[in-house]
Structures are given as structure tokens and as C-alpha cells.
Amino acid sequence: MNCRRRVVITGMGCVTALGLGVDRLWQGARSGKSGVKLLNLERTQQQQVQTAAHLDAFNPSSCLDKTIVDSTDRFAQFALIAAMEAVQQASADAPLPINERTGVIVGSGIGGARTSDDQHFAFYVSKTRIDPFTIPRVMPNAAASHISMRYGAKGPSFAVSSACSSGSQSIGLGLQAIRSGSIDTCFVGGSEALITPATFRSWEVLRVMTSTLCRPFSKGRNGMVLGEGAAVIIIEAEDTAQSRGAKPIAILAGYGTSSDAGDIVRPDPDGAARCIRLALDDAELKPADVGYVNAHGTGTVLNDISETMALQAAFGQDIASVSVSSTKPIHGHALGAAGAIELVIAVCALRDQVAPPTINWVEADPRCIPNPVANIALSREIPAALSNSFAFGGINACLAVTRAT
């Protein structure tokens, strides 16, 4: 008999290019409304790609105290605001206990990119004073630490930095920590604010960004679109949530992670397939139990082919009955925050029994998913959903959620 603790999701919060809040993200993902817009970066004359999924009117002072705003980078501000929404939802039925048995695990691929860019420019170019808080602002654990300090979470607090899998691995580690009995509650998720002149230019020269539209799994796709944002999710042991009368949103049922141990940038379908199987096994699900997969789906030629091969290997003939989509054309590829943002969408899909679409899809590519949810959302039965994250460095993560009972 399986006696491990079940883990439930009781609160979710988001900051994305669609604006502040889970509702704005989900309505955009469900309706196909994209947060991608024109981007004009300062301090660069070399910008070639003209769009990104960015927050162009973000004002942290409307949500956070001045002392916090002055001592944090944009990525930590995103995470704090997302955590506020998650706490509010988790506390809707009863106060959320936050104490020595509450952890905080929030991933980031880069950390304080804006502070780093600004301070390097100050040192090398403008010869102006360096901000004394540069180091506390740039460290990747700043988001987790500020959430811990704000709410008094005195359990384990740390950051996971594994590129595009950071958010998903953070959530998976929180799941494992609660199952082990070392903590009862955990803030998990990811945050990223990497759209700076130097970082954006670095992605341009890598030649993986589209100059037109991001079209995952579609014939004619030519690259990804960068995004920024955060998602913070509150997970609890089911018995802890029940004891305080909290109503779960979903069950965080499974987690799988693997390493390709291959190329630093080229994905390996075998490693990704192994990761998906691990998540299914951990959740005690069969492929036929899954109704929806939020794919990693970056829109690059190789990634979409590799992920298709991985899904076909993991699901076998059942892949024909699974609804697969990528929501990255909506919120952009937010790197370390992507997995957490996409899990929020998967939970909303599970809740509403609606598979959101892959927008901008124009024509089938015989090497890709033959039946993606293309352009229009699909109402269907979704007993369980998966969210995939496959990162540079060959780091794979997959999360499984099921309906709360």
C-alpha cells in the first residue's frame, strides 16, 4: 500500500506579459490573446528582433514598499507579487500557517539580470557609482529569500538554477520535501527578468529567436520569443490543508527529472521521454489517464521535433488521444519561470476542462505533433495534465497534476 503523503495546490500567483494575476494569464492562454509586443531596448544599436513578451508598464511601487523596491531586482519583485496573490488564495478558506515547517524554493535561470546589466554599464561605460546592494539584488536566491523574510517561512529556503527547468525542478523538489515529512507547506515556482540589452543581444546571436511569430509545432516555425515573469504556487500536505479547512485547487501528483548527459544545447528525445515516464510513474498514472500536456514547445525547429519524439515514445499509441499545446506564444519563453507559469496554465486547464491552444499554428509539420490544439481552445475531459520543461544542459523536468477530490 502506498502511504506517502499526498500534496495539494492551494494557492497560485502570477506576473506575466499579460499583466498581474493568474486570471489574466489564463484568459490570455485560453482565448489566444498574446502578451508579445514591440520591444525597444535602451543602450543598444544592434537590436534585430523587435518583439518580446514583456511587462512594459510594470510599477513595483504599486504593490511593494519602497524599501523593498530599492533593494531588489525586477525578478525578485515579480516573485514577491506572485507570492502575495498565492497567499491570498491559499488563505481564502482559512489562515495559511507559515512557520518553521514552511519552505521556499523559487528557481531562476539567471537571477538579477537587470541589476547586473545596469551595474556593468555604470562601471565600464558611464563611470557612475555602483549600487551598494548590487550583490544582494543579483543573487539567484534573492526571490526565495525575500519571500521567506516577508512571510516568516523558516523552513528550507533556496533557489534552483537549471535554465529552462528551474521552475519545474523547484516545484518537484518542494513536492519531494513535503512527501518526506521534512516540511508541511512550501512556496514553489520560478521567476525571471532577463530582457536587458546585453542578455537580449546574447539570445539574438544564438539564432534561436524568431523575428516574426512564434509557431510551436507548425510548419514554417523559425524560433522562440523571449518572455519574463514569475509564478509562485503554494503546495501543502493534504492532511495539513484538510486540518485548516482549505479547499485544494488540484493535486500535485508526480514529478520526473532526468539528464541527457549529452550536448549543452541540442535536446535528446530519449532523455525527455525518460523524464515523462518518471513523472507518470511517480503520479501512478497511465498514459491513457492524461488528457492534456502543456508542452515545452519553444517554436525552434529542433526542440519541437525532439519533444514530439519524446511524447510519442512515452505515450505510445495513446498520444493520439492527448491534447498537446504550447502556450509560449502567449507568455513568451520566460526561462527559469517558464515551468512554473506553464504549470499554472495546466492547473487551470484541469480545473476548467479546457485545453488552451497553440496560437500562430498554420500547417502541420510531419515531424511534429500531428494533432496539436491549434489556434482555438478545446473543451474536453482532462483527468490529469502534464507540464514539460526541457532545458539547455540537457536538464529535463515534468510535472503531473490531477483533479482535487
Side-chain angles (χ1 to χ4, degrees), residues 39 41 52-55 113-114 193-197 199-200 226-228:
L39 173 70
L41 290 168
H54 62 106
L55 286 89
R114 176 164 291 197
L194 75 160
I195 301 176
T196 72
T199 307
F200 198 81
L226 275 182
E228 62 178 355

Side-chain angles (χ1 to χ4, degrees), residues 128-180:
T128 52
R129 180 176 178 267
I130 299 297
D131 187 334
F133 259 77
T134 295
I135 299 303
R137 288 166 65 130
V138 301
M139 58 191 192
N141 64 297
S145 294
H146 277 283
I147 291 172
S148 173
M149 291 184 292
R150 181 182 182 91
Y151 293 104
K154 296 184 178 180
S157 174
F158 57 92
V160 174
S161 188
S162 50
C164 313
S165 291
S166 302
S168 293
Q169 287 197 315
S170 297
I171 296 165
L173 289 172
L175 169 66
Q176 292 177 338
I178 293 175
R179 280 180 178 169
S180 75

Side-chain angles (χ1 to χ4, degrees), residues 302-359:
L302 288 179
N303 179 89
D304 292 358
I305 294 171
S306 177
E307 186 167 12
T308 296
M309 294 171 65
L311 286 166
Q312 291 171 335
F315 280 85
Q317 63 183 11
D318 291 309
I319 192 60
S321 61
V322 179
S323 295
V324 178
S325 70
S326 170
T327 53
K328 283 187 171 68
I330 300 291
H331 50 74
H333 190 355
L335 302 190
I341 291 169
E342 289 158 13
L343 183 67
V344 168
I345 291 173
V347 170
C348 291
L350 186 73
R351 180 195 65 198
D352 291 356
Q353 298 289 281
V354 172
T358 302
I359 65 169

